[in-house]
Amino acid sequence: MARFCYNNGRTEIASSNVILLNSVAHFMEMNKDVSCTDNLLEQTEKFLEGIPYWTWSELLGALKQCQEFVPIVNSSGLLQKCLDSLVARMAPASDASPSTSSTDSTALRFSCDTRSTESTKNSYSRATWWFEDLVVFHPSLIEKVIKAMTAQKFNHATISKFLFYYQKSRFSGATPDEKCKIIETVVEMLFSLDWSSVSCKSLFGILRVALSLNVSKICRNRLEGMIGSHLDQATLDNLLVPSPPSVAYLYDVNLVLRFLKSFLQTGGCWVSSTRLKKVASLVDLYIAEVAPDSCLKPSKFAALALALPDSARDSHDGIYRAMDMYLEVHAGLSEEERMKICCALNYEKLSSEACKHLAQNKKFPSRTAVQALIAQQSKLKSILQDMNHFKSLGDPPYGYNEKGSKGKKYEDDDQVVLYARKLDLSTENEKLKAHLQGMQWRVMKLEKVCRKMQTQMAKIMKSRLSSSSNARSLPRLCS
């Protein structure tokens, strides 16, 4: 600036110093109000009009200088000019991202070509060539870069990949405070993207790092919310997060409960049956894993079992096995505590083998065994009703006796004529007869199986009633 002032308003301006000179000119108010001609602010701004023609390295150097003068370059609009030019250079590469449909179709088209793998790698490298160059920027500047990329409709999958790459790269040699700032910035930017483009596995990686740092509560809530929305993509290993030091549980059950709450809230009433059942299968595995934990309270175990709606599971055998393990480890629970745990069971969704095991399982309350037997009896009744319905189908068609003569007069002869035109009675009757004969044979086999099951259930119930301490109250429960 001194050289400019003592050299009659002349100085060398280049891409390497124009950011500094422009910031000084703004700070010192070296504008037209001071000098109508040869003012430093006007000269630097005129030079900055050529930003679109700068090289990539010149843009990076200018942005590095901007990091040191953020308040000034923000107010002057200089930072935004540099960002827009930088993002414009990156935009063509983002279109070549492997996550876009055009690349997928190209990979499919050349799937039989030996060069297809090399082509895919090249396209991926074209989409991510700028990752390493942007790692040098501070989190505050990266936030502005991501916002500029989002404004220019960048591929969100590419942005999320860069953010994960940035977090891993910047952590090397960073202090705990710097790591917190990096994590909070990355999570905030990921939260602003389309969550479906964010990798679930990478989110769990960030979570494990964030748990060891003192990140803000807002950051944790956002991270847990994004993971919850992807819970159907998670694995059991992802959920086995150790508990905080202040909690006696082996695994962080409260964290998983928050994931489940977020999953249901994110999807609302529109969570697909397929996704819901995937999460239910995952939760059953998790419950079986935490059941042997002697420190896990009954209320937490029951909360896990009841976290999902009943429609999420076609079978409750998995929950029953987990309950069996839990009650074996927690043998000292009261009858009331055991009943609270068992309230998560849907006895109608237990298999015959599970019901038989439950009826003889002394770790479970007596009332649960009775409820299981009643549920099985209702199943048998419905099976018998279905079989009776099949039997009724085996009778001669309505309106005809065994000889084929009419057993009932139709009130309207036109209906008979119309029906006869539409159906060849002799052919259809033969087909129906053959079909029903096969069905009757299958029904007879089912009847034998059902009678055998009823006998077994009666024996089991009789044995249970005689051995139970609540034998006097059982007849009243069964009624």
Side-chain angles (χ1 to χ4, degrees):
M1 183 197 69
R3 187 181 298 112
F4 174 84
C5 293
Y6 287 96
N7 197 27
N8 298 321
R10 292 190 301 274
T11 189
E12 182 183 354
I13 300 177
S15 59
S16 58
N17 67 0
V18 67
I19 303 298
L20 176 60
L21 290 174
N22 185 267
S23 300
V24 168
H26 270 282
F27 183 74
M28 299 299 293
E29 298 180 355
M30 300 172 70
N31 48 37
K32 290 182 179 181
D33 294 337
V34 177
S35 174
C36 294
T37 59
D38 298 330
N39 66 79
L40 184 59
L41 183 61
E42 184 178 356
Q43 290 188 33
T44 55
E45 287 183 346
K46 185 175 181 180
F47 186 88
L48 288 170
E49 291 176 359
I51 283 181
Y53 307 102
W54 288 7
T55 64
W56 175 258
S57 58
E58 287 175 336
L59 283 171
L60 290 177
L63 281 169
K64 288 177 185 177
Q65 289 189 16
C66 285
Q67 292 182 137
E68 303 173 15
F69 309 103
V70 172
I72 297 175
V73 295
N74 266 340
S75 60
S76 64
L78 176 57
L79 176 60
Q80 194 60 45
K81 289 180 182 179
C82 292
L83 287 175
D84 290 342
S85 183
L86 184 83
V87 172
R89 304 286 179 89
M90 294 152 52
S94 70
D95 295 336
S97 171
S99 61
T100 59
S101 58
S102 60
T103 307
D104 290 339
S105 62
T106 304
L108 179 63
R109 188 164 58 249
F110 293 105
S111 59
C112 298
D113 191 346
T114 56
R115 294 170 296 177
S116 60
T117 304
E118 183 180 354
S119 175
T120 303
K121 289 181 179 179
N122 290 338
S123 66
Y124 181 78
S125 62
R126 286 198 300 271
T128 61
W129 63 268
W130 45 270
F131 280 20
E132 185 67 33
D133 293 334
L134 268 58
V135 166
V136 297
F137 295 153
H138 295 167
S140 57
L141 185 56
I142 283 294
E143 183 177 347
K144 298 182 187 314
V145 171
I146 298 302
K147 288 180 179 179
M149 293 169 68
T150 306
Q152 294 197 24
K153 309 297 182 183
F154 256 65
N155 186 341
H156 284 203
T158 304
I159 297 176
S160 66
K161 289 175 185 176
F162 166 70
L163 287 169
F164 291 127
Y165 179 84
Y166 178 80
Q167 178 260 319
K168 290 180 181 178
S169 301
R170 291 286 296 188
F171 260 41
S172 178
T175 65
D177 289 341
E178 289 173 342
K179 289 180 179 179
C180 279
K181 178 62 178 176
I182 293 167
I183 287 287
E184 289 172 358
T185 301
V186 168
V187 170
E188 183 180 355
M189 292 298 98
L190 289 171
F191 192 79
S192 66
L193 302 177
D194 178 7
W195 293 359
S196 62
S197 65
V198 182
S199 166
C200 179
K201 180 181 178 181
S202 300
L203 285 174
F204 273 106
I206 286 186
L207 175 68
R208 290 182 181 273
V209 175
L211 291 175
S212 62
L213 298 171
N214 189 27
V215 298
S216 65
K217 188 175 181 180
I218 295 176
C219 175
R220 284 198 58 172
N221 290 342
R222 287 176 172 175
L223 186 55
E224 291 174 6
M226 286 189 287
I227 291 176
S229 69
H230 289 76
L231 200 57
D232 56 311
Q233 302 174 20
T235 63
L236 178 60
D237 289 339
N238 294 146
L239 297 185
L240 296 178
V241 179
S243 288
S246 58
V247 181
Y249 309 151
L250 184 61
Y251 297 111
D252 198 342
V253 176
N254 292 324
L255 178 65
V256 175
L257 288 172
R258 292 196 296 271
F259 287 159
L260 291 169
K261 183 179 179 181
S262 176
F263 173 76
L264 295 174
Q265 287 180 342
T266 304
C269 301
W270 304 104
V271 177
S272 66
S273 175
T274 304
R275 294 185 65 208
L276 197 59
K277 288 180 180 180
K278 279 185 180 179
V279 173
S281 299
L282 179 63
V283 171
D284 287 352
L285 292 174
Y286 182 79
I287 293 175
E289 194 70 27
V290 301
D293 186 357
S294 59
C295 297
L296 186 62
K297 294 181 180 179
S299 58
K300 294 298 179 184
F301 184 90
L304 282 172
L306 292 168
L308 295 174
D310 188 65
S311 59
R313 295 179 177 90
D314 295 327
S315 171
H316 273 232
D317 285 11
I319 294 181
Y320 168 70
R321 287 191 291 269
M323 286 181 180
D324 187 34
M325 285 190 288
Y326 185 82
L327 293 177
E328 185 175 354
V329 175
H330 300 78
L333 295 179
S334 64
E335 184 83 3
E336 183 181 357
E337 287 175 326
R338 286 188 291 164
M339 281 304 300
K340 285 182 179 179
I341 291 173
C342 295
C343 70
L345 271 180
N346 185 336
Y347 301 96
E348 294 181 356
K349 291 188 176 183
L350 289 175
S351 64
S352 300
E353 291 78 8
C355 281
K356 183 178 178 181
H357 189 273
L358 174 58
Q360 299 173 342
N361 196 337
K362 295 184 179 181
K363 295 190 289 289
F364 281 73
S366 304
R367 283 175 285 179
T368 60
V370 176
Q371 289 174 343
L373 291 172
I374 292 173
Q376 285 301 106
Q377 284 185 341
S378 65
K379 277 186 181 181
L380 290 174
K381 286 180 181 179
S382 64
I383 292 173
L384 290 173
Q385 288 174 358
D386 291 341
M387 287 192 298
N388 290 333
H389 175 66
F390 291 148
K391 275 186 174 181
S392 65
L393 293 177
D395 296 335
Y398 181 76
Y400 289 85
N401 57 21
E402 292 180 356
K403 296 180 180 179
S405 61
K406 289 185 179 179
K408 182 180 178 182
K409 294 286 186 180
Y410 282 99
E411 294 180 359
D412 190 353
D413 293 338
D414 292 337
Q415 290 181 352
V416 178
V417 174
L418 185 61
Y419 180 79
R421 288 176 181 173
K422 291 183 178 179
L423 182 65
D424 184 354
L425 292 177
S426 59
T427 305
E428 292 296 326
N429 283 339
E430 287 298 327
K431 290 181 180 179
L432 183 61
K433 184 177 179 181
H435 178 69
L436 292 177
Q437 283 177 351
M439 188 177 292
Q440 284 177 341
W441 181 80
R442 290 193 295 271
V443 168
M444 289 172 62
K445 290 194 68 176
L446 280 173
E447 284 180 332
K448 290 180 182 179
V449 173
C450 288
R451 282 196 296 270
K452 187 176 180 180
M453 289 177 66
Q454 282 181 317
T455 304
Q456 289 178 348
M457 287 296 173
K459 289 181 181 179
I460 293 170
M461 191 169 182
K462 184 178 179 181
S463 173
R464 188 66 179 175
L465 289 173
S466 61
S467 62
S468 174
S469 60
N470 298 327
R472 295 181 181 178
S473 62
L474 288 178
R476 183 169 62 256
L477 289 172
C478 292
S479 62

